[in-house]
Amino acid sequence: AQSVTQLDSQVPVFEEAPVELRCNYSSSVSVYLFWYVQYPNQGLQLLLKYLSGSTLVESINGFEAEFNKSQTSFHLRKPSVHISDTAEYFCAVTPSGTYKYIFGTGTRLKVLA
Amino acid sequence: DVKVTQSSRYLVKRTGEKVFLECVQDMDHENMFWYRQDPGLGLRLIYFSYDVKMKEKGDIPEGYSVSREKKERFSLILESASTNQTSMYLCASNLQGGVQPQHFGDGTRLSIL
């Protein structure tokens, strides 16, 4: 069975500091990987995705994630965070050939002034 | 832009009531999903529909049923509401074929008293 682990439930960080949100997955088949962001009182929005090709993927608002097959990881990074990045971030995987998304338990990023 | 609309943002019901949560999407997506979101547990799939009148159970279908009479509308039904069904409910949709990201509604926060 597939699973997704986000070890950090909360990450406080000061504004303009770098941040890394960790995501590890377990799967016996190939997977596609996603990061979603949830702002307060809203649904989830797609932040970025890895389907194939370059292992480093970027979003329009400065986040990036790198797919590491050997370590089964897809960590999310940003070199300099803003107050507006305060949100909950979910890592998700879709096993190849299925409709199903498996979500991690989420990481609350709190950016401090 | 894809729009997934959930009929209520907040809902308060009593135990034993039959509760309907409605979701409508406007992008002709084949797939629709119902999740519940609880702190520390992430998103858990309740039911999935891949076509009109077609449905599959997710990971936690007990106590729930669904209805999809039209392609754009997917309803979640709590047959006899219980307090342990107090939660945030999220609807999502996506296209079939390939690996398509899910698009989410803003959620319904349901309280069962």
Side-chain angles (χ1 to χ4, degrees):
Chain A
Q2 293 84 16
S3 65
V4 177
T5 302
Q6 292 181 251
L7 282 173
D8 304 306
S9 59
Q10 294 189 62
V11 174
V13 62
F14 285 104
E15 195 175 16
E16 297 184 6
V19 70
E20 179 178 80
L21 307 183
R22 295 179 294 168
C23 173
N24 289 89
Y25 69 92
S26 172
S27 177
S28 56
V29 300
S30 59
V31 297
Y32 304 100
L33 299 130
F34 304 83
W35 275 100
Y36 284 83
V37 58
Q38 185 179 33
Y39 298 104
N41 299 315
Q42 294 185 25
L44 277 68
Q45 303 172 31
L46 179 68
L47 188 60
L48 45 74
K49 61 185 177 185
Y50 172 78
L51 304 182
S52 64
S54 172
T55 57
L56 185 66
V57 291
E58 297 176 354
S59 73
I60 57 172
N61 56 355
F63 282 95
E64 64 180 30
E66 186 158 20
F67 170 53
N68 188 319
K69 189 174 181 180
S70 62
Q71 296 187 5
T72 59
S73 68
F74 191 53
H75 301 331
L76 181 70
R77 296 188 291 260
K78 190 170 185 180
S80 176
V81 294
H82 304 290
I83 296 287
S84 59
D85 292 325
T86 293
E88 189 157 20
Y89 292 80
F90 290 92
C91 181
V93 302
T94 301
S96 176
T98 77
Y99 65 85
K100 201 168 181 180
Y101 278 63
I102 299 144
F103 287 86
T105 52
T107 298
R108 286 190 184 275
L109 174 64
K110 186 167 177 64
V111 182
L112 308 168
Chain B
D1 266 1
V2 175
K3 185 75 173 173
V4 179
T5 303
Q6 295 183 230
S7 55
S8 304
R9 293 299 303 275
Y10 301 94
L11 207 53
V12 180
K13 297 291 182 181
R14 297 201 174 275
T15 55
E17 281 192 69
K18 190 169 186 176
V19 181
F20 293 85
L21 303 184
E22 306 286 345
C23 175
V24 176
Q25 51 92 6
D26 65 359
M27 284 301 290
D28 205 34
H29 285 173
E30 294 88 0
N31 298 335
M32 297 188 74
F33 306 79
W34 274 108
Y35 295 91
R36 66 177 279 176
Q37 181 182 9
D38 299 290
L41 297 178
L43 277 69
R44 293 179 292 168
L45 181 65
I46 305 172
Y47 265 98
F48 156 67
S49 170
Y50 54 91
D51 201 350
V52 174
K53 297 189 188 294
M54 307 305 289
K55 61 186 179 185
E56 283 190 17
K57 292 180 180 179
D59 299 317
I60 52 164
E62 296 78 20
Y64 303 94
S65 63
V66 290
S67 172
R68 192 163 181 203
E69 297 295 320
K70 294 185 178 181
K71 191 175 184 180
E72 68 270 18
R73 186 180 296 271
F74 191 35
S75 302
L76 179 69
I77 303 154
L78 285 66
E79 298 291 344
S80 177
S82 64
T83 54
N84 62 13
Q85 293 178 308
T86 291
S87 186
M88 169 71 89
Y89 290 87
L90 292 169
C91 175
S93 71
N94 68 355
L95 288 166
Q96 283 183 358
V99 182
Q100 305 290 343
Q102 295 191 346
H103 299 264
F104 285 82
D106 285 338
T108 296
R109 190 166 292 282
L110 175 65
S111 296
I112 307 296
L113 304 179

